[in-house]
């Protein structure tokens, strides 16, 4: 659109309504189905221009198809003189059928099969669990994070406030609601169910790297991992892991300790980790919600012994 406007100004010396009419006619001459990818409005000039263009295009029978990270009601949210833009939002909602991908039961980016990028493992499960600490494994893990965050240009650290405490998120894409942690970030410090629930309610996809093989004497780490998996599972979070070993080998004990409570609890955790790799689970709708820097109203107790 900007290119068409520039051409109309410089080549045809058009201004005002003549310029807008020329751009509309030029656009419609290529077809009446007009597609916009990553539709967004960032300043008042674009907002008012889009209002005029879209209004005229729709009046002349054009069909608008657009993708956006925001629903129409949130376009140009917080922008200067947004009240001038609101009638256009009403027009979009009246003329266009709004489809929310947040209401979909499937995260298509994770379940789509991509043989070139080795998206499935030997068992046919979606490759969201990467085994090994070698460079090649970590590069594949990094690549999936890069793909899902579309290059990671907005990655930064952030803090979630939870019942008077702060949960530090070392890497987050607020635009795509994806977070990345190391095992140590999540389990090597004192943390509880409320902290993990806050993460699950804020991010629909969580990457965790450097997950070690756990020993019986590391019982606090084991308990926190159990609680973490339960919290993410409860919110149907999509979990991507880079670990030293497979889920079934992550926590083993000797015969003397094989009847301890953590062993029985970890059996369920192991089962959930396997389920979270399945296409059926990845198709589930995330049940969390966007709640940046708000206190979690309640601390739901996740009993790892159940």
């Amino acid at each position: 659109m900007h290119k068409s406007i520039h051409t109309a100004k410089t080549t045809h010396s058009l201004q005002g309504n003549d310029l807008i009419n020329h751009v509309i006619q030029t656009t419609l001459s290529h077809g009446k189905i007009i597609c916009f990818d990553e539709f967004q409005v960032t300043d008042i000039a674009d907002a008012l221009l889009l209002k005029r263009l879209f209004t005229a295009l729709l009046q002349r029978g054009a069909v608008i198809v657009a993708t956006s990270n925001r629903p129409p009601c949130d376009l140009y949210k917080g922008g200067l003189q947004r009240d001038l833009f609101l009638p256009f939002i009403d027009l979009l909602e009246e003329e266009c059928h709004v489809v929310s991908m947040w209401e979909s039961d499937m995260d298509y980016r994770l379940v789509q099969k991509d043989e070139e990028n080795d998206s499935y493992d030997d068992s046919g499960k979606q490759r969201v669990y990467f085994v090994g600490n070698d460079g090649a494994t970590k590069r594949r893990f990094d690549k999936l994070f890069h793909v899902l965050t579309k290059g990671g240009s907005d990655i930064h650290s952030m803090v979630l406030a939870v019942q008077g405490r702060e949960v530090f998120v070392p890497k987050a894409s607020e635009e795509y609601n994806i977070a990345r942690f190391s095992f140590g970030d999540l389990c090597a410090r004192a943390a509880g169910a409320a902290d993990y629930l806050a993460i699950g309610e804020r991010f629909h996809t969580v990457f965790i790297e450097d997950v070690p093989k756990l020993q019986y004497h590391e019982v606090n780490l084991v308990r926190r991992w159990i609680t973490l998996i339960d919290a993410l599972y409860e919110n149907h979070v999509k979990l991507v892991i880079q670990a030293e070993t497979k889920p079934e080998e992550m926590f083993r004990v000797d015969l003397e300790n094989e009847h301890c409570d953590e062993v029985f609890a970890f059996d369920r955790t192991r089962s959930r980790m396997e389920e979270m790799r399945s296409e059926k689970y990845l198709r589930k709708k995330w049940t969390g919600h966007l709640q940046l820097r708000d206190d979690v109203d309640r601390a739901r107790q996740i009993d790892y012994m159940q």
Side-chain angles (χ1 to χ4, degrees):
M1 285 295 184
H2 285 99
K3 183 178 179 180
S4 297
I5 291 171
H6 178 73
T7 300
K9 284 182 177 179
T10 57
T11 304
H12 304 287
S13 301
L14 298 175
Q15 298 291 332
N17 289 332
D18 291 337
L19 183 150
I20 297 297
N21 289 332
H22 177 82
V23 171
I24 291 169
Q25 291 298 335
T26 301
T27 301
L28 291 176
S29 69
H30 296 292
K32 286 197 171 185
I33 299 178
I34 305 170
C35 301
F36 296 87
D37 189 29
E38 300 288 350
F39 185 73
Q40 60 180 332
V41 184
T42 57
D43 59 60
I44 187 60
D46 278 350
L48 296 180
L49 176 61
L50 287 170
K51 174 185 173 183
R52 296 180 66 185
L53 286 173
F54 272 58
T55 299
L57 287 169
L58 289 169
Q59 287 175 346
R60 300 188 191 190
V63 176
I64 305 295
V65 180
T67 65
S68 177
N69 291 317
R70 294 178 177 271
C73 61
D74 284 347
L75 288 173
Y76 196 48
K77 192 172 185 178
L80 295 173
Q81 297 180 288
R82 187 172 184 261
D83 56 306
L84 300 176
F85 187 67
L86 295 179
F88 172 62
I89 292 177
D90 293 337
L91 178 68
L92 278 183
E93 293 181 329
E94 180 181 344
E95 297 290 337
C96 299
H97 178 57
V98 180
V99 179
S100 172
M101 296 308 295
W102 292 114
E103 296 175 1
S104 172
D105 289 337
M106 186 188 311
D107 186 334
Y108 290 92
R109 299 172 303 170
L110 280 174
V111 301
Q112 62 183 350
K113 187 167 184 178
D114 186 347
E115 295 178 352
E116 180 180 350
N117 291 328
D118 195 24
S119 296
Y120 282 66
D121 62 20
D122 294 338
S123 65
K125 291 182 178 178
Q126 177 69 25
R127 192 179 294 279
V128 292
Y129 193 101
F130 298 82
V131 178
N133 292 321
D134 57 283
T137 300
K138 293 197 173 187
R139 282 193 295 272
R140 289 196 295 271
F141 179 83
D142 289 338
K143 183 175 181 179
L144 183 56
F145 181 75
H146 185 82
V147 168
L148 296 187
T149 58
K150 295 194 175 181
S153 60
D154 74 326
I155 303 302
H156 58 272
S157 62
M158 61 181 292
V159 173
L160 303 177
V162 182
Q163 299 175 354
R165 301 190 310 279
E166 292 186 341
V167 176
F168 179 68
V169 183
K171 294 182 180 179
S173 170
E174 293 186 66
E175 181 176 4
Y176 297 109
N177 303 310
I178 295 172
R180 180 169 176 171
F181 302 86
S182 69
F183 177 87
D185 293 328
L186 293 168
C187 299
R189 61 177 184 80
D195 302 311
Y196 299 141
L197 284 167
I199 293 170
E201 291 176 347
R202 178 60 182 82
F203 301 103
H204 65 62
T205 301
V206 172
F207 282 69
I208 306 175
E209 57 192 318
D210 299 326
V211 178
K213 188 173 183 178
L214 297 172
Q215 306 297 325
Y216 176 70
H217 68 272
E218 299 172 308
V219 64
N220 287 332
L221 298 182
V222 173
R223 289 172 178 172
R224 288 172 193 147
W225 182 257
I226 291 170
T227 304
L228 170 65
I229 295 300
D230 283 350
L232 300 183
Y233 183 89
E234 177 179 325
N235 282 293
H236 297 171
V237 171
K238 308 306 180 282
L239 181 61
V240 183
I241 292 176
Q242 178 263 311
E244 178 183 349
T245 187
K246 298 177 181 179
E248 61 268 25
E249 299 172 354
M250 185 176 171
F251 179 53
R252 287 186 174 179
V253 298
D254 55 33
L255 292 176
E256 182 181 349
N257 296 304
E258 65 178 352
H259 298 297
C260 70
D261 290 332
E262 285 74 23
V263 171
F264 292 110
F266 204 88
D267 282 341
R268 188 193 68 222
T269 298
R270 185 181 296 110
S271 176
R272 287 188 166 183
M273 289 170 65
E274 290 288 357
E275 181 185 345
M276 292 169 87
R277 300 168 60 192
S278 69
E279 184 171 335
K280 181 179 179 180
Y281 178 87
L282 293 172
R283 288 176 179 270
K284 289 184 176 181
K285 178 184 175 183
W286 174 53
T287 59
H289 53 81
L290 305 182
Q291 188 170 313
L292 179 61
R293 293 183 182 275
D294 285 346
D295 285 327
V296 176
D297 292 332
R298 71 265 180 256
R300 286 172 290 176
Q301 181 65 37
I302 296 182
D303 182 3
Y304 68 87
M305 298 296 186
Q306 71 183 30

PDB file of all heavy atoms in Angstrom, residues 35-40 65-68 150:
ATOM      1  N   CYS A  35      -5.073  -9.913   0.543  1.00  0.00           N
ATOM      2  CA  CYS A  35      -4.550 -10.593   1.718  1.00  0.00           C
ATOM      3  C   CYS A  35      -3.456  -9.765   2.392  1.00  0.00           C
ATOM      4  O   CYS A  35      -2.565  -9.236   1.719  1.00  0.00           O
ATOM      5  CB  CYS A  35      -3.987 -11.959   1.336  1.00  0.00           C
ATOM      6  SG  CYS A  35      -5.215 -13.060   0.557  1.00  0.00           S
ATOM      7  N   PHE A  36      -3.543  -9.674   3.704  1.00  0.00           N
ATOM      8  CA  PHE A  36      -2.543  -8.968   4.505  1.00  0.00           C
ATOM      9  C   PHE A  36      -1.996  -9.940   5.543  1.00  0.00           C
ATOM     10  O   PHE A  36      -2.754 -10.519   6.312  1.00  0.00           O
ATOM     11  CB  PHE A  36      -3.162  -7.760   5.220  1.00  0.00           C
ATOM     12  CG  PHE A  36      -3.666  -6.680   4.305  1.00  0.00           C
ATOM     13  CD1 PHE A  36      -4.952  -6.737   3.798  1.00  0.00           C
ATOM     14  CD2 PHE A  36      -2.855  -5.616   3.951  1.00  0.00           C
ATOM     15  CE1 PHE A  36      -5.431  -5.749   2.953  1.00  0.00           C
ATOM     16  CE2 PHE A  36      -3.319  -4.618   3.106  1.00  0.00           C
ATOM     17  CZ  PHE A  36      -4.610  -4.683   2.602  1.00  0.00           C
ATOM     18  N   ASP A  37      -0.679 -10.108   5.556  1.00  0.00           N
ATOM     19  CA  ASP A  37      -0.047 -10.972   6.545  1.00  0.00           C
ATOM     20  C   ASP A  37       0.557 -10.117   7.650  1.00  0.00           C
ATOM     21  O   ASP A  37       1.152  -9.065   7.382  1.00  0.00           O
ATOM     22  CB  ASP A  37       1.049 -11.815   5.887  1.00  0.00           C
ATOM     23  CG  ASP A  37       1.590 -12.890   6.812  1.00  0.00           C
ATOM     24  OD1 ASP A  37       0.832 -13.357   7.680  1.00  0.00           O
ATOM     25  OD2 ASP A  37       2.766 -13.263   6.667  1.00  0.00           O
ATOM     26  N   GLU A  38       0.415 -10.571   8.916  1.00  0.00           N
ATOM     27  CA  GLU A  38       0.943  -9.837  10.079  1.00  0.00           C
ATOM     28  C   GLU A  38       0.412  -8.402  10.099  1.00  0.00           C
ATOM     29  O   GLU A  38       1.153  -7.436  10.231  1.00  0.00           O
ATOM     30  CB  GLU A  38       2.480  -9.836  10.054  1.00  0.00           C
ATOM     31  CG  GLU A  38       3.106 -11.213  10.094  1.00  0.00           C
ATOM     32  CD  GLU A  38       2.974 -11.888  11.449  1.00  0.00           C
ATOM     33  OE1 GLU A  38       2.571 -11.220  12.410  1.00  0.00           O
ATOM     34  OE2 GLU A  38       3.260 -13.088  11.528  1.00  0.00           O
ATOM     35  N   PHE A  39      -0.882  -8.260   9.987  1.00  0.00           N
ATOM     36  CA  PHE A  39      -1.524  -6.938   9.950  1.00  0.00           C
ATOM     37  C   PHE A  39      -1.371  -6.239  11.299  1.00  0.00           C
ATOM     38  O   PHE A  39      -1.691  -6.800  12.341  1.00  0.00           O
ATOM     39  CB  PHE A  39      -3.007  -7.114   9.615  1.00  0.00           C
ATOM     40  CG  PHE A  39      -3.760  -5.822   9.438  1.00  0.00           C
ATOM     41  CD1 PHE A  39      -3.578  -5.053   8.312  1.00  0.00           C
ATOM     42  CD2 PHE A  39      -4.637  -5.377  10.414  1.00  0.00           C
ATOM     43  CE1 PHE A  39      -4.279  -3.866   8.149  1.00  0.00           C
ATOM     44  CE2 PHE A  39      -5.331  -4.188  10.252  1.00  0.00           C
ATOM     45  CZ  PHE A  39      -5.159  -3.431   9.119  1.00  0.00           C
ATOM     46  N   GLN A  40      -0.850  -5.007  11.278  1.00  0.00           N
ATOM     47  CA  GLN A  40      -0.711  -4.237  12.503  1.00  0.00           C
ATOM     48  C   GLN A  40      -0.772  -2.750  12.185  1.00  0.00           C
ATOM     49  O   GLN A  40      -0.551  -2.335  11.048  1.00  0.00           O
ATOM     50  CB  GLN A  40       0.609  -4.557  13.213  1.00  0.00           C
ATOM     51  CG  GLN A  40       1.847  -4.254  12.379  1.00  0.00           C
ATOM     52  CD  GLN A  40       3.126  -4.590  13.130  1.00  0.00           C
ATOM     53  OE1 GLN A  40       3.164  -4.549  14.347  1.00  0.00           O
ATOM     54  NE2 GLN A  40       4.185  -4.920  12.393  1.00  0.00           N
ATOM     55  N   VAL A  65      -8.705 -10.507   3.636  1.00  0.00           N
ATOM     56  CA  VAL A  65      -8.239 -11.651   4.430  1.00  0.00           C
ATOM     57  C   VAL A  65      -6.941 -11.215   5.108  1.00  0.00           C
ATOM     58  O   VAL A  65      -6.019 -10.758   4.436  1.00  0.00           O
ATOM     59  CB  VAL A  65      -7.973 -12.897   3.564  1.00  0.00           C
ATOM     60  CG1 VAL A  65      -7.498 -14.058   4.423  1.00  0.00           C
ATOM     61  CG2 VAL A  65      -9.222 -13.281   2.786  1.00  0.00           C
ATOM     62  N   ALA A  66      -6.874 -11.332   6.423  1.00  0.00           N
ATOM     63  CA  ALA A  66      -5.695 -10.849   7.132  1.00  0.00           C
ATOM     64  C   ALA A  66      -5.340 -11.751   8.303  1.00  0.00           C
ATOM     65  O   ALA A  66      -6.218 -12.376   8.904  1.00  0.00           O
ATOM     66  CB  ALA A  66      -5.930  -9.426   7.645  1.00  0.00           C
ATOM     67  N   THR A  67      -4.046 -11.839   8.594  1.00  0.00           N
ATOM     68  CA  THR A  67      -3.586 -12.473   9.825  1.00  0.00           C
ATOM     69  C   THR A  67      -3.006 -11.384  10.719  1.00  0.00           C
ATOM     70  O   THR A  67      -2.472 -10.394  10.236  1.00  0.00           O
ATOM     71  CB  THR A  67      -2.497 -13.528   9.557  1.00  0.00           C
ATOM     72  OG1 THR A  67      -1.315 -12.887   9.042  1.00  0.00           O
ATOM     73  CG2 THR A  67      -2.986 -14.564   8.566  1.00  0.00           C
ATOM     74  N   SER A  68      -3.131 -11.568  12.007  1.00  0.00           N
ATOM     75  CA  SER A  68      -2.630 -10.566  12.940  1.00  0.00           C
ATOM     76  C   SER A  68      -2.426 -11.201  14.306  1.00  0.00           C
ATOM     77  O   SER A  68      -3.074 -12.193  14.650  1.00  0.00           O
ATOM     78  CB  SER A  68      -3.616  -9.401  13.061  1.00  0.00           C
ATOM     79  OG  SER A  68      -3.177  -8.448  14.014  1.00  0.00           O
ATOM     80  N   LYS A 150       9.727 -16.817  15.429  1.00  0.00           N
ATOM     81  CA  LYS A 150       9.911 -16.109  14.158  1.00  0.00           C
ATOM     82  C   LYS A 150      11.163 -15.237  14.161  1.00  0.00           C
ATOM     83  O   LYS A 150      11.138 -14.043  13.859  1.00  0.00           O
ATOM     84  CB  LYS A 150       8.669 -15.272  13.831  1.00  0.00           C
ATOM     85  CG  LYS A 150       7.434 -16.127  13.582  1.00  0.00           C
ATOM     86  CD  LYS A 150       6.305 -15.358  12.935  1.00  0.00           C
ATOM     87  CE  LYS A 150       5.152 -16.289  12.596  1.00  0.00           C
ATOM     88  NZ  LYS A 150       4.026 -15.588  11.940  1.00  0.00           N
TER      89      LYS A 150
END
